[in-house]
Amino acid sequence: MRQLLYFLSIVLLLNSCATLTNRKTTKISISSDTESNIVYNTDTIAIGKQPIKIKPLRSRDSLSLIVLKDGYKNEFDIKAKNSIAFFANIPFNYGLGMLVDLTNQKRFTYKKNLHFSWDSINNNFNLSHKKINEIKKGTTFIYTSPLNAIDVFSTPMLTLGTEYFVSNNISISAEFGTKYSERLRDQSNITIIKDKGYSFRIEPKLYNKINLTGASTLNEYLGLELRVIKNNYNDSVDYFEKQLDSNQEIVLITDDFARKKTITLINLKYGINVPVGKLFYFDFYSGFGIRLRKVENLALEFDNEIHNLRDDDNNHYDFFRDEDLKTINKNKEFNFSLGFKFGVKL
């Protein structure tokens, strides 16, 4: 019995996410919209618009901070909360690891970003979510979308875009992409149409009106994206005629054809502009909207009334079946976008 309890304890310990992955300390970024000082433990530290970091011990107890300015003093108690690693026990070990983490201080963390705003009327500080890095009118970004270059499921494209701020925190972004490689599954050996493709994106953005991250120094935005992707390429499909006579010989037909595809995306997006030093930045975004898809097949002889597709792994139309092999195919679908851009601030 003792050995069984020992074994179960080892299993639980090795599957408790917070106990295994969290350090004894956590990181907190602290900033203020005016030059001031904080007292943390016994240290007095100057703070301002540029965030400073402290590393308090993880604890179930609140984190005590004192903010000082011109003889005025405000005390703050930052409440502890459970870390993401604690809740990661649910998908990874069905919650069993929580039994160990419940007794460990390493399961706790604090709010990652603290910004103190000075109230000049009442002469005190308040915790604030106000954005402090306003992007000024006339600012220009140049960027590329790296994931488009390795898009093996659609059309690999090299992209270059620019974003210009027509007003403080309001920008217009425009991006152009050009196809530089064949699609992964192009199969035709006959050229019917010139293989080419391009994309165009335009997107107005509104920055720093929301704060989902709780960070005062990150630039968050909402954008409305219109993107058009055009792609012309050659392809082929294998099929055979439907049998009317069981003794009829099956003859496989390889049909070479050309495809003209146009995809129009309209998305509502949320993004975060994360600076890397003073020059570079990453733009992480996600969004949803609609996808309008139009496909025109040229010189295609396949007819689902008299033909059956070859049913094997070499035929990539098995997934789309007859619907994707009409002369003209139009549809409207829900679209979800997720990606990032890398750019430079001019």
Side-chain angles (χ1 to χ4, degrees), residues 251-279:
V251 178
L252 184 66
I253 303 170
T254 297
D255 189 356
D256 293 288
F257 66 100
R259 168 162 289 185
K260 298 173 69 175
K261 181 187 293 186
T262 301
I263 297 176
T264 303
L265 305 172
I266 303 174
N267 291 318
L268 178 64
K269 291 168 57 178
Y270 162 78
I272 307 175
N273 184 292
V274 181
V276 181
K278 295 183 178 181
L279 186 62

Side-chain angles (χ1 to χ4, degrees), residues 129-148:
H129 289 169
K130 178 184 176 182
K131 295 292 187 180
I132 60 175
N133 288 342
E134 185 177 60
I135 305 179
K136 300 295 184 181
K137 176 181 179 181
T139 301
T140 302
F141 295 154
I142 302 295
Y143 67 87
T144 186
S145 299
L147 293 180
N148 287 344

